[in-house]
Amino acid sequence: MQISKRLAVLASAAVFSLFAGVAMADGEKLVIGTEGAYPPFNNLEADGTLTGFDVDIAKALCEEMKVECTFVTQDWDGIIPALIAKKFDAIVASMSITAERKEKVDFSKKYYNTPPAIVVPKDSEITEATAAALAGKLLGAQSSTTHSNYAEAHMKDSELKLYPTSDEYKLDIANGRIDAVIDDVVVLSEWLKSDDGTCCKLLGTLPVDPVINGEGAGIAVRKGETALADRFSAAIAAIRANGKYQEINAKYFPFDVYGDSD
C-alpha cells in the first residue's frame, strides 16, 4: 500500500537524521502516533480530525523543532509495538514514563503530570477514595495503563474489570454495571463536566505511587533513539519558556497540569 511505503520512508528519514547527529533540517517529516480515544488529551472527532491537549502540544513541539508532523491513531494496547514496528516515529498519547516501559522505549522529559482519581455514581454509598472503601466493589479501568496497574497493586480486594478504551468503562458506570472507575483526575474531571458525565461524581484523588505512576507523561521513541527524545525534551523546555505551553494549557484546563518543576 502507498501509505505503508510512505510511513517506511518517513521512519527511515528520521533514523537517518539521528545517526547523522545533526539538528533536524527544515522540511523534515515525523509521524506522531496517538490513541484518539482519551479526551481531553487526545480524541478522534466525527469528522476525522484529531483534537486535544496531547495533539496541540505535539504540534507546538514540531513547530519548535522545525519539522513537519503528521498524525496516525493506534489502539492503546498496540501502541508501543506499533512504534517499535516503525508505523510512526514517536508516541504523544499521555503515556506515563515508567521503569517497565523504559525497557521497551526511550522517553523525553515529562510534558505533564497529574494524579489518578476515583469516580463513582452520584447515588453511590462509597464515600472515600481508599482501598478499604472499594473492597468488594467492581472497579473499572482502561487496560494496559498505569491506572489499571495501580488498581491491581493497591486495590487487591476490589474486583477489577478492564476495558480497551475509557469510553467503554464510562458507558458501564453510567448504566450501573460497575461500582467505580479509576483514571487520571483530569480525564475524569473533564468527563464529569460533559453531558455524558452527569451520572457520576469525583470521589477524590489517590496517593501517587512513583513506581507505578512514573515520572509524568512523556514522549516515547524507539529504544536507542535518544537524540530524538532529547530534541523533544529541549522543545518542551522551550515552549514552557516562551509561553506556548501555558497558552495550550489554558485552552483545556484552569490549572497548570505540568506538575512540580523538575
Side-chain angles (χ1 to χ4, degrees):
M1 292 177 64
Q2 288 185 328
I3 293 177
S4 297
K5 290 179 180 178
R6 173 168 152 66
L7 291 178
V9 170
L10 292 172
S12 297
V15 171
F16 174 80
S17 71
L18 294 174
F19 281 115
V22 297
M24 293 179 176
D26 289 355
E28 186 173 355
K29 299 177 181 179
L30 291 174
V31 181
I32 306 295
T34 194
E35 183 186 10
Y38 198 57
F41 291 103
N42 58 78
N43 194 48
L44 184 62
E45 304 293 342
D47 64 1
T49 58
L50 276 167
T51 61
F53 179 78
D54 287 334
V55 177
D56 286 357
I57 288 291
K59 289 177 179 178
L61 296 177
C62 290
E63 183 178 354
E64 181 67 31
M65 294 161 63
K66 296 181 172 56
V67 297
E68 179 184 340
C69 288
T70 54
F71 292 81
V72 296
T73 57
Q74 171 68 48
D75 290 344
W76 181 256
D77 286 352
I79 203 164
I80 287 180
L83 172 68
I84 294 170
K86 300 186 178 181
K87 292 184 178 179
F88 34 81
D89 302 299
I91 297 170
V92 187
S94 293
M95 180 170 283
S96 296
I97 305 165
T98 66
E100 181 181 3
R101 288 175 179 149
K102 282 182 178 179
E103 294 177 0
K104 300 176 181 177
V105 297
D106 286 330
F107 281 98
S108 71
K109 297 292 187 180
K110 72 171 185 180
Y111 63 97
Y112 82 86
N113 192 9
T114 49
I118 297 290
V119 156
V120 296
K122 283 185 175 178
D123 60 356
S124 175
E125 296 180 356
I126 305 170
T127 58
E128 297 179 343
T130 63
L134 291 162
K137 305 300 183 182
L138 186 55
L139 178 64
Q142 185 175 357
S143 62
S144 302
T145 63
T146 56
H147 306 297
S148 62
N149 293 342
Y150 188 103
E152 288 172 349
H154 296 289
M155 297 173 176
K156 295 180 180 179
D157 292 331
S158 299
E159 182 181 350
L160 185 60
K161 184 173 183 180
L162 300 178
Y163 297 84
T165 70
S166 61
D167 288 340
E168 288 152 308
Y169 75 57
K170 291 172 184 176
L171 184 63
D172 267 10
I173 194 170
N175 287 286
R177 290 190 281 266
I178 55 178
D179 299 308
V181 297
I182 179 173
D183 208 329
D184 182 273
V185 65
V186 173
V187 170
L188 294 174
S189 298
E190 292 300 306
W191 169 54
L192 295 180
K193 294 177 185 177
S194 70
D195 291 341
D196 293 338
T198 56
C199 65
C200 303
K201 63 184 179 181
L202 185 70
L203 199 59
T205 58
L206 296 161
V208 170
D209 181 332
V211 174
I212 295 174
N213 298 116
E215 307 161 26
I219 298 166
V221 300
R222 282 181 287 276
K223 199 72 179 170
E225 296 186 359
T226 53
L228 180 57
D230 289 345
R231 290 184 179 111
F232 275 117
S233 295
I236 292 167
I239 66 170
R240 289 280 297 170
N242 66 24
K244 185 62 179 180
Y245 183 98
Q246 290 79 0
E247 178 185 329
I248 296 169
N249 190 118
K251 176 180 175 182
Y252 293 95
F253 315 116
F255 54 90
D256 186 357
V257 298
Y258 184 78
D260 294 337
S261 297
D262 293 329

